[in-house]
């Protein structure tokens, strides 16, 4: 199975799947470490909150 299919059909949590398929010391592991060091989770959370706020503003402006 290709990784997206594995994620969609495997029934495994995405983080667990990533850990299982990431080679120790490999390129993906280094990339993930870099993203985590840059607080990517917080950045994505902030982006989702900003989008939700804007969606509410637009709903108020144009009607729900």
């Amino acid at each position: 199975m290709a990784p997206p299919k594995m994620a969609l059909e495997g029934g495994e949590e995405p983080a667990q799947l990533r850990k299982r398929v990431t080679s120790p010391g490999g390129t993906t592991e280094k990339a993930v470490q870099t993203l985590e060091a840059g607080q990517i989770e917080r950045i994505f959370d902030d982006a989702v909150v900003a989008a939700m706020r804007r969606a509410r503003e637009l709903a108020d402006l144009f009607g729900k």
Side-chain angles (χ1 to χ4, degrees):
M1 277 194 283
K5 188 171 182 170
M6 290 172 71
L8 293 172
E9 297 176 0
E12 191 171 14
E13 290 292 322
Q16 189 60 35
L17 174 61
R18 181 191 51 81
K19 287 178 185 176
R20 188 168 58 80
V21 300
T22 300
S23 300
T27 57
T28 300
E29 181 181 62
K30 184 52 86 173
V32 170
Q33 288 172 349
T34 301
L35 291 168
E36 288 174 343
Q39 299 180 341
I40 193 72
E41 187 175 342
R42 182 191 54 78
I43 292 167
F44 273 110
D45 286 347
D46 290 350
V48 170
V49 168
M52 287 183 353
R53 284 184 184 140
R54 184 60 181 151
R56 286 187 193 117
E57 291 170 358
L58 292 171
D60 290 343
L61 212 91
F62 297 108
K64 300 178 183 183

